C-alpha cells in the first residue's frame, strides 16, 4: 500500500492509548430493522422498497427503552466503551437530525434516542462512539448499486438519473457535524463501509470519491481532534487509527507494511448484528470469552455486538451472554485491561496476555496436571490462579525423572490442581522477575 500524503488525518499512537488499554467495547446495532427481527440488512436482502419498509417506521415504539439499564449491563460485562448505530444502511436515524425526517422523533415513539443513550453510558464511565453508515438505502441521492434494495429493478439505471452523490456527501457532512457537536465529546466514529470497484449489472460500487472521504475526515478532525476513526472510508494509509477485522479471529497480529497495527475485531453473539428472533447460532460462554482473550493475546481489541429488540430491551440470550462476560471479567479483567501480546509462546491450548512483568496464562483445555511453559524456567518469582489468588507451585526444570518426554532446561512446569477451578477459562498469573 502506498502512503497517501495525509498530514493530521490519522492519530498519533499516544492518542490511542486509552483505546488499546481498554480492550473491550460494546457494539450496538439498533434501528427499525429490529421490528422485522431478521437481520439489519432485511431491506436489501428481501429487496423491500421504501413503501414496503415504511411499516417498520410506522410501528417503531421502543416503550421499554432503558439506556441506563443497557449501560449498567455493559459496564458489568467489563466493557469500557460503546459504539451505537446512529444511522445504519437503511438510513434511519436514532437522533433528531435536522437534515431528514427519517428519524426516531417522527416515529410513534416521537423521542430522540441518542441524548439519553450518551448520558447513560457516560454516567457508567464508558467512552461513547457512533457508527455512521456510508450506505443509505433511503436517501434519494444515493444511487442504486449492488447492495441497494432496488438493484434488480429493470429500470434501476433509469431510476439513478438525477441522483446526485455530491448532495448525499454534503448530507453526510451535515449529519456527522450534528453527531460531533450535539452530544459532548465523542470518542469513536465508526464509518461503514466502502466497496469501490464492485460493479453489479453495470451499477458501480462506491468509495472515497463518492463519500468525499478526505473532506469528511478533515471535518471530523476539525470537530473532534482526538476521535478514533475506523478504516472503512477507503482512504489508504500506513497508519490508520484502527483496522477492523469482522466476524473472525485473526491468527497473527494484523500488520501494515510489516508493522503491527492498532486493531479491533467486531463480533456478534449470534450471526446477526441487528436483533434476529430466529437466529440460533449463539456462541457459548466459552467461545465468547475465548474471542476476547484471543484478541488481546494478539494485541487487539474486541467490539462485541448486541442487537436490542424493538421494545428497546436486551433479549434473554443477549443478557446471558453479557452475564458470562460479567462473571469472568469480574475475576479476570486484570489479564485484559492494559494487557497485550507477550513475546513468550504459549503452550498448545493456551494463550498468553502480558502487562509489564505480569504474564497471564489462559488455559483453554485444563491439563492433567502439569503445564509446561517454554522459556520461563528461572524467570518467575510467584504464580497464582487469578480467580482466587491461590498459589500455584512448579517443579524445577528436569527434576522429575518421570516426565515423558523430558522437559528442557528452559521449561517451567506448573503443578496445577487436578480439578479445574470453577470458571469458564482459568488464568494463571505469573509474576516475572525483573529483567
Ligand atoms: C457488516 C454488516 C453490517 C454491520 C457491520 C459491522 O458490514 O453487514 O450490517 O453493520 O458488518 O461491522
Amino acid at each position: 500500500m502506498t502512503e497517501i500524503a495525509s498530514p493530521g488525518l490519522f492519530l498519533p499512537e499516544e492518542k490511542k492509548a486509552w483505546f488499546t488499554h481498554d480492550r473491550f467495547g460494546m457494539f450496538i446495532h439498533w434501528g427499525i430493522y429490529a421490528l422485522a427481527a431478521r437481520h439489519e440488512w432485511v431491506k436489501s436482502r428481501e429487496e423491500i422498497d421504501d413503501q414496503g419498509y415504511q411499516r417498520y417506521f410506522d410501528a417503531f415504539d421502543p416503550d421499554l427503552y432503558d439506556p441506563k439499564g443497557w449501560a449498567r449491563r455493559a459496564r458489568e460485562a467489563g466493557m469500557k466503551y460503546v459504539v451505537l448505530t446512529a444511522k445504519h444502511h437503511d438510513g434511519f436515524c436514532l437522533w433528531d437530525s435536522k437534515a431528514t425526517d427519517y428519524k426516531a422523533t417522527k416515529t410513534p415513539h416521537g423521542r430522540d434516542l441518542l441524548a439519553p443513550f450518551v448520558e447513560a453510558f457516560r454516567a457508567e464511565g464508558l467512552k461513547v462512539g457512533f457508527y455512521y453508515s456510508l450506505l443509505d438505502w433511503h436517501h434519494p441521492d444515493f444511487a442504486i448499486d449492488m447492495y441497494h434494495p432496488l438493484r434488480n429493478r429493470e429500470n434501476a439505471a433509469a431510476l439513478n438519473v438525477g441522483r446526485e452523490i455530491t448532495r448525499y456527501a454534503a448530507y453526510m457532512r451535515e449529519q456527522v457535524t450534528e453527531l460531533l457537536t450535539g452530544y459532548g465529546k465523542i470518542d469513536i466514529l465508526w464509518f461503514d463501509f466502502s466497496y469501490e470497484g464492485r460493479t453489479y449489472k453495470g451499477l458501480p460500487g462506491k468509495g472515497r470519491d463518492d463519500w468525499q472521504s478526505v473532506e469528511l475526515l478533515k471535518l471530523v478532525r476539525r470537530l473532534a481532534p482526538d476521535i478514533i476513526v475506523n478504516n472503512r472510508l477507503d482512504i489508504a494509509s500506513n497508519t490508520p487509527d484502527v483496522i477492523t477485522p469482522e466476524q473472525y479471529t485473526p491468527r497473527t497480529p494484523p500488520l501494515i507494511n510489516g508493522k503491527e497495527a492498532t486493531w479491533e475485531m467486531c463480533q456478534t453473539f449470534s450471526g446477526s448484528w441487528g436483533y434476529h428472533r430466529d437466529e440460533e447460532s449463539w456462541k457459548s460462554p466459552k467461545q465468547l470469552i475465548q474471542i476476547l482473550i484471543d484478541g488481546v493475546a494478539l494485541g487487539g481489541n474486541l467490539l462485541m455486538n448486541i442487537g436490542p429488540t424493538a421494545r428497546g430491551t436486551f433479549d434473554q440470550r443477549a443478557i446471558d451472554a453479557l452475564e458470562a462476560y460479567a462473571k469472568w471479567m469480574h475475576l479476570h479483567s486484570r489479564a485484559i485491561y492494559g494487557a497485550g501480546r507477550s513475546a513468550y509462546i504459549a503452550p498448545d491450548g493456551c494463550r498468553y496476555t502480558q502487562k509489564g512483568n505480569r504474564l497471564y496464562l489462559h488455559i483453554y483445555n485444563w491439563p492433567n496436571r502439569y503445564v509446561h511453559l517454554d522459556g520461563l524456567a528461572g524467570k518467575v518469582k510467584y504464580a497464582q490462579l487469578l480467580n482466587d489468588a491461590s498459589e500455584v507451585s512448579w517443579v524445577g526444570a528436569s527434576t522429575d525423572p518421570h516426565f515423558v518426554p523430558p522437559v528442557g532446561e528452559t521449561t517451567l512446569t506448573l503443578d496445577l490442581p487436578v480439578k479445574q477451578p470453577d470458571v469458564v477459562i482459568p488464568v494463571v498469573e505469573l509474576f516475572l522477575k525483573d529483567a
Side-chain angles (χ1 to χ4, degrees), residues 305-412:
N305 180 72
I306 183 162
T309 70
R311 296 288 302 273
T313 57
F314 290 176
D315 87 331
Q316 192 56 46
R317 298 167 296 184
I319 289 174
D320 292 346
L322 287 171
E323 284 177 355
Y325 277 124
K327 214 169 155 191
W328 190 84
M329 284 294 278
H330 177 61
L331 297 171
H332 299 99
S333 65
R334 77 176 190 242
I336 299 294
Y337 303 140
R341 205 161 76 81
S342 173
Y344 293 105
I345 310 286
D348 275 356
C350 298
R351 301 287 184 278
Y352 281 137
T353 60
Q354 188 169 351
K355 177 166 52 183
N357 55 11
R358 297 290 174 95
L359 180 63
Y360 297 95
L361 172 71
H362 303 253
I363 305 179
Y364 288 5
N365 304 308
W366 192 249
N368 174 33
R369 92 189 199 228
Y370 295 132
V371 62
H372 305 287
L373 309 180
D374 287 340
L376 280 166
K379 297 204 171 153
V380 174
K381 48 181 190 207
Y382 189 71
Q384 61 182 6
L385 280 166
L386 189 50
N387 59 289
D388 64 354
S390 61
E391 183 172 12
V392 171
S393 53
W394 58 84
V395 294
S398 314
T399 53
D400 184 336
H402 306 302
F403 283 140
V404 182
V407 297
E409 289 288 315
T410 59
T411 301
L412 180 80

